[in-house]
Amino acid sequence: MGLWERLIGTGPARERDARDVLPELLASYRQEARLARQIREHADQAPHQTGAQGLRAVAEEQERLAQLLRDKIVALGGAVSEQTAPTRGGKNHWARVTRDLEDTQVLRRHYNEQAIRWDPGLPDVVALYHTLEQGKARITALLRDIALRADPHALD
């Protein structure tokens, strides 16, 4: 049931079950895990120590968010399978960091949309999505700082 149906009171009268959100949580977990791997790879490719350290800190925060999703999936009775989606790269440090930033911003918007979708039926899931969105806000700030310090014209 969408926002409009909830507002005007139409649509199916079925209560939502927490298991209904499992496919969405699994997809989010896979994206978080992929992005954490991607950022770690970009840290390994960083041309200077400062950028590498910053990206490693971001990757740790990414892994923390992925763990929150994993814990919720398991708590709801789901199973997490490790599927390796390909990571995205770039021709230089700046391009890789801006790609990480773009991917992070997409997930941040997605979490905000999911919080709206599952509210008010699943308050614990909504709280998780708000936590994820706040984590993405922190990561966005860190990645912007790293991108601003990177030279977009420097080749690796």
Side-chain angles (χ1 to χ4, degrees):
M1 179 180 340
L3 177 64
W4 183 248
E5 288 89 5
R6 284 187 293 175
L7 288 175
I8 63 173
T10 64
R14 183 177 82 80
E15 283 294 315
R16 289 190 171 165
D17 187 301
R19 291 180 301 247
D20 293 343
V21 76
L22 273 174
E24 182 57 46
L25 292 172
L26 282 165
S28 295
Y29 170 76
R30 288 185 190 115
Q31 287 300 314
E32 288 292 345
R34 181 199 60 79
L35 189 52
R37 250 186 12 264
Q38 177 176 301
I39 293 171
R40 283 241 181 249
E41 289 174 9
H42 295 172
D44 293 341
Q45 298 169 354
H48 48 81
Q49 191 62 24
T50 305
Q53 288 173 341
L55 286 173
R56 284 188 190 101
V58 169
E60 287 174 14
E61 178 69 9
Q62 271 296 134
E63 290 163 353
R64 186 185 73 77
L65 296 179
Q67 187 62 44
L68 289 173
L69 283 161
R70 174 188 276 273
D71 293 345
K72 187 62 169 176
I73 292 165
V74 170
L76 293 174
V80 178
S81 63
E82 298 299 325
Q83 294 180 347
T84 56
T87 58
R88 299 173 3 141
K91 68 178 180 177
N92 61 21
H93 178 61
W94 180 83
R96 289 187 295 269
V97 172
T98 55
R99 171 115 344 121
D100 297 338
L101 181 59
E102 291 167 358
D103 291 350
T104 297
Q105 290 172 325
V106 166
L107 281 171
R108 183 179 179 191
R109 283 188 300 273
H110 177 73
Y111 293 150
N112 187 40
E113 292 166 0
Q114 290 303 309
I116 293 168
R117 176 181 178 200
W118 297 102
D119 187 37
L122 298 172
D124 56 328
V125 171
V126 172
L128 172 64
Y129 279 123
H130 284 304
T131 300
L132 293 169
E133 195 271 334
Q134 291 167 356
K136 287 300 180 187
R138 287 189 302 274
I139 289 172
T140 295
L142 292 170
L143 288 172
R144 277 191 182 133
D145 186 54
I146 295 168
L148 287 172
R149 296 170 193 259
D151 182 358
H153 303 291
L155 298 175
D156 287 338

